[in-house]
Amino acid sequence: MDKRAATIAGLIAAVLSLLLGMGVLQYLHDNALGLPRLLATIALGRSALDPDVTSVGTALVVGGAVHLVLGLVFAFVISFTLHRWGFWVGLIGGGLFGLALYAINTYFMSRFFPEFFHYRSWFMVGLHVIFGALCGGIYESLERDRRSMYRR
């Protein structure tokens, strides 16, 4: 497994999926901060959803940091699982991993973070699948171990 490629893939996939989610939420509901505030509840508790208690800057920084850390963790799991199988398996397998991640996040983690329950939607399914597919595809494109294996 190429740790450098996994780190880059996780960071890029996390940033792009967060920006996409915020953009879509802004377009559909005029609420780009909904997603960072939801993510900030993991570290700050339910008060992160209240604009009177948690400032915009705090919600963005904490929500973004939580998303990046989780993105890196999941990128390493995806990279370890899909290691050396090629770009298309990385892309499709990553998307399927994202789908499984959605199920875990919204059905299991909502027991600990009840606010996640309200984010069960096709929109969130799509964001998780996009994150996983980006992560798997980027990892397989950057992976050094696979490329050096074929040069021998």
Side-chain angles (χ1 to χ4, degrees):
M1 184 178 91
D2 185 348
K3 293 175 185 166
R4 177 196 66 88
T7 302
I8 293 169
L11 291 175
I12 291 173
V15 168
L16 289 178
S17 64
L18 181 62
L19 291 176
L20 176 65
M22 289 174 66
V24 170
L25 284 175
Q26 179 63 32
Y27 178 75
L28 294 176
H29 302 291
D30 202 28
N31 184 18
L33 292 176
L35 195 53
R37 284 192 182 280
L38 176 70
L39 292 161
T41 62
I42 295 171
L44 301 177
R46 295 186 94 172
S47 64
L49 296 174
D50 187 358
D52 295 331
V53 176
T54 304
S55 69
V56 169
T58 302
L60 277 172
V61 169
V62 173
V66 166
H67 192 65
L68 287 176
V69 168
L70 291 174
L72 285 171
V73 169
F74 297 139
F76 274 84
V77 173
I78 289 173
S79 302
F80 180 75
T81 307
L82 302 176
H83 178 61
R84 292 189 184 188
W85 285 31
F87 176 77
W88 291 107
V89 172
L91 193 70
I92 295 167
L96 291 172
F97 181 86
L99 188 61
L101 193 57
Y102 167 80
I104 292 166
N105 285 346
T106 56
Y107 292 97
F108 176 71
M109 294 306 290
S110 64
R111 295 180 189 272
F112 305 103
F113 303 101
E115 49 279 355
F116 283 20
F117 178 81
H118 301 291
Y119 279 80
R120 291 181 185 173
S121 66
W122 287 107
F123 165 71
M124 291 302 282
V125 170
L127 270 183
H128 281 81
V129 169
I130 287 169
F131 166 79
L134 279 171
C135 192
I138 292 169
Y139 173 78
E140 286 295 333
S141 297
L142 297 175
E143 182 184 24
R144 289 183 182 162
D145 296 345
R146 183 173 49 85
R147 283 195 228 141
S148 64
M149 181 178 73
Y150 293 118
R151 288 187 188 143
R152 291 182 190 162

